[in-house]
Amino acid sequence: MLVSNIKSRPVYGGLKVDVAARRHLVAAEGEGALAVIDAFGAHPEALARTTLLYAAGGSAGEDHAARLAAFRPDDLFVMPSQPTLITRLNVILNTATMGTRLYAAGVEGFIGSVVAAGMAHGVDQASIRTEHRGSLARRVQCVHCKGMTENVTVSPVTCSHCGIPLLVRDHYSRRLGAFQGVSIDAETPGDVPPAEELYA
Amino acid sequence: MSGGVEIGVRVVSIEQATPTVKRFSLAARDRSPLPVFSAGSHVVVAMDADDRRIKNPYSLIDRSADGSTYRIGVLRTPQSRGGSVFMHDRVEVGSELTITMPVNLFPLNRTGRKHLLIAGGIGVTPIYAMAEELARQSFAYEIHYAMRDAAHGAFADELVARHGDKVRLYRDDCQEVIAVDRILPHQPLGTHLYVCGPEGMIDAILKGGRAAGWPEENLHAERFLAPPGGSPFALTLAKAGITTEVRSDQSLLEAIEAAGVDAPFLCRGGACGQCETTVVSCDGELVHNDHFLSDEEKASGTKIMTCVSRLKGRELVLDL
């Protein structure tokens, strides 16, 4: 069911600390905290110039906030949810200066939201460092009704807004931070193959 | 296809901007409007000298409101291979030249939130066009323009008149230097930097950008190299079955063209990569002068950029 070889499928290069940066602005979600601990554990000198935002939700797993606090970054914001984290991130991006490097770690939907926030503030997508951790669950946009369905692990999936059964494609929108879902039974209504667990 | 569509032009006016810079207004010989271009574009001007055809890239300053003329600025550099001297000494109002379609290797990044334009000397020509476009579209920008002295600031008065306090001028004779370490650290996130000028200045500005923690994606430079001369050598074009000589004042590309072979090119300044050519064999050492090939590719000895690079040795065989 996976439709591959699609160029827009994001590639995550890993959370490497850019030692040339003057400021590190790190957004992590769920298991993404472990990527932060791995990357910045190797560069403790960078922590004094690091602002860390963390939300435990999203991917299943434990809350890593205490471990991140023990890292003693310059600033740590533990946020109750991904949307509140993105709101806080936008406030920081608004007054950030050049020399600030943006990092994102966690599930794909979260990385997509952070990258979209960075791009909206003029940050080139290529200079945002990303690492995928945790569930493979996707944010899927129904191309028919434009509704978003979060945490999709199967394909086909039923659109949570209009109810059309959707084939989840690798076709990805950076602006929306979402994969595209297209009607799977448009030609033969009702002919819907069984859902496969592809993005657990 | 080499260089693309050409446009026959006539020089309609010449202005001596400084003791060493002339500005030329060019109109299409058939009086048709010239193509719209994006800021940062250049054209390659072909000049018919007595013994050869010289082709040099020049950045476009602007296009007149009615589209009838382009302006280019040319610095007289006597130690080069003759293009700028030809433009200064031989080209008059009414002279006919040929230009290529505009090509942009130095575009503005329109996703940026602010733009820093930095120019040194004649490097101001693309910067001038970029500032016009940024002003027209109400983007945030600053201009930093370094010149030898007041008499050599070919565009200082015009820039100040058009952009007011967004322009900062620096004069070498007053020991004024562009303090990158003060300008760069406090720019808002999403700022892009564009620098054009002498080689040493470009390197210093880019180094300052990296030191301030700017990512490569936000640092832009344009450096056109005049192809340096060198010792003459024998050239064989394997596919065409032609053997000729590259004279000391000729570039490899000019020698290929003089031999009647239509080789690929675009910028003729070592920047764009269009003229990359496979080396079949060489008796001697390749002298790579371009900014395109990676160090590994240069070391491999299998590729050469014909516009600015040459051979120090006896014979070069190319896959052309």
Side-chain angles (χ1 to χ4, degrees):
Chain A
M1 221 31 52
L2 198 65
V3 180
S4 206
N5 296 325
I6 291 179
K7 277 189 189 167
S8 63
R9 172 82 181 90
V11 177
Y12 306 105
L15 213 65
K16 296 186 203 78
V17 175
D18 184 347
V19 292
R22 292 293 178 92
R23 188 89 208 161
H24 308 282
L25 180 53
V26 188
E29 169 279 338
E31 302 299 301
L34 300 174
V36 176
I37 289 166
D38 287 350
F40 284 80
H43 290 279
E45 76 286 352
L47 287 164
R49 290 182 280 124
T50 298
T51 300
L52 191 50
L53 297 96
Y54 178 66
S59 55
E62 55 183 312
D63 185 341
H64 299 287
R67 287 187 68 189
L68 291 173
F71 246 56
R72 305 184 66 83
D74 184 40
D75 239 339
L76 173 65
F77 299 97
V78 178
M79 305 303 291
S81 67
Q82 286 186 34
T84 53
L85 187 154
I86 297 297
T87 302
R88 174 60 58 90
L89 178 67
N90 277 318
V91 170
I92 297 171
L93 286 170
N94 255 326
T95 54
T97 55
M98 285 302 290
T100 302
R101 199 71 69 256
L102 182 59
Y103 303 79
V107 294
E108 283 195 79
F110 175 76
I111 295 175
S113 301
V114 174
V115 170
M119 286 170 65
H121 288 85
V123 180
D124 192 300
Q125 177 243 341
S127 61
I128 303 173
R129 303 191 167 204
T130 55
E131 182 160 336
H132 177 217
R133 288 281 180 119
S135 157
L136 293 168
R138 295 180 166 192
R139 173 187 297 139
V140 175
Q141 187 201 41
C142 171
V143 303
H144 311 286
C145 77
K146 307 299 175 192
M148 291 285 184
T149 303
E150 301 283 345
N151 288 319
V152 173
T153 59
V154 297
S155 180
V157 64
T158 303
C159 174
S160 59
H161 301 260
C162 68
I164 290 179
L166 301 172
L167 166 71
V168 179
R169 303 184 76 229
D170 271 354
H171 181 175
Y172 184 82
S173 161
R174 285 205 302 253
R175 181 176 61 85
L176 301 167
F179 290 92
Q180 307 291 289
V182 297
S183 171
I184 198 166
D185 64 344
E187 274 150 34
T188 321
D191 182 11
V192 179
E196 286 180 72
E197 189 83 15
L198 293 171
Y199 320 112
Chain B
M1 190 68 205
S2 53
V5 178
E6 294 191 328
I7 307 167
V9 293
R10 181 173 290 116
V11 176
V12 292
S13 70
I14 301 175
E15 180 194 356
Q16 186 86 42
T18 77
T20 51
V21 173
K22 277 186 178 178
R23 282 188 285 233
F24 298 85
S25 290
L26 312 173
R29 279 179 231 164
D30 64 5
R31 296 174 192 279
S32 58
L34 293 165
V36 175
F37 67 88
S38 56
S41 296
H42 70 273
V43 294
V44 174
V45 178
M47 299 157 252
D48 287 312
D50 299 333
D51 57 339
R52 64 204 168 105
R53 186 155 229 239
I54 307 169
K55 293 182 182 177
N56 279 4
Y58 293 109
S59 293
L60 291 169
I61 300 165
D62 55 17
R63 175 178 181 264
S64 57
D66 63 358
S68 65
T69 58
Y70 284 157
R71 279 200 305 166
I72 57 171
V74 179
L75 171 70
R76 194 178 201 277
T77 48
Q79 70 276 29
S80 73
R81 294 159 320 98
S84 70
V85 171
F86 184 91
M87 287 297 288
H88 272 257
D89 297 352
R90 304 282 301 278
V91 173
E92 305 165 335
V93 170
S95 293
E96 293 190 346
L97 299 165
T98 305
I99 62 172
T100 59
M101 291 289 273
V103 169
N104 199 344
L105 301 174
F106 194 35
L108 288 165
N109 185 322
R110 275 154 222 287
T111 65
R113 284 201 298 174
K114 185 177 172 184
H115 305 269
L116 282 190
L117 307 177
I118 302 182
I122 193 64
V124 71
T125 52
I127 296 296
Y128 185 95
M130 291 161 123
E132 284 294 302
E133 191 150 326
L134 291 168
R136 204 157 44 228
Q137 301 194 17
S138 303
F139 274 105
Y141 63 99
E142 289 173 19
I143 305 163
H144 299 268
Y145 176 25
M147 66 203 79
R148 201 183 306 164
D149 52 47
H152 284 87
F155 293 82
D157 294 344
E158 270 185 279
L159 279 177
V160 171
R162 301 182 87 91
H163 304 287
D165 59 6
K166 290 193 170 69
V167 185
R168 175 80 210 270
L169 303 175
Y170 303 82
R171 285 170 51 186
D172 293 351
D173 64 333
C174 297
Q175 280 75 49
E176 294 170 337
V177 291
I178 300 178
V180 272
D181 54 336
R182 285 218 296 277
I183 299 167
L184 299 190
H186 307 296
Q187 297 295 339
L189 191 64
T191 303
H192 284 259
L193 178 155
Y194 310 83
V195 56
C196 188
E199 192 79 10
M201 174 195 174
I202 292 177
D203 289 341
I205 300 283
L206 294 181
K207 191 164 163 249
R210 291 181 193 111
W214 288 45
E216 290 298 325
E217 291 81 16
N218 294 58
L219 299 170
H220 313 277
E222 179 154 82
R223 30 182 133 209
F224 282 137
L225 302 168
S231 310
F233 56 93
L235 170 67
T236 298
L237 305 177
K239 280 186 199 150
I242 294 173
T243 296
T244 182
E245 191 201 19
V246 181
R247 297 196 314 259
S248 58
D249 66 341
Q250 223 176 4
S251 74
L252 186 48
L253 179 56
E254 285 166 348
I256 294 167
E257 289 171 342
V261 172
D262 185 27
F265 76 87
L266 204 57
C267 77
R268 300 182 87 92
C272 76
Q274 191 73 19
C275 68
E276 180 181 309
T277 301
T278 301
V279 174
V280 176
S281 68
C282 71
D283 176 7
E285 183 194 337
L286 296 175
V287 183
H288 293 288
N289 296 311
D290 62 277
H291 289 295
F292 182 79
L293 294 176
S294 66
D295 289 344
E296 295 85 68
E297 287 172 313
K298 287 178 182 176
S300 77
T302 58
K303 301 260 187 241
I304 191 164
M305 312 305 294
T306 59
C307 67
V308 291
S309 300
R310 58 193 298 125
L311 181 80
K312 193 173 155 188
R314 197 185 62 80
E315 190 189 22
L316 177 65
V317 183
L318 294 180
D319 185 31
L320 276 175

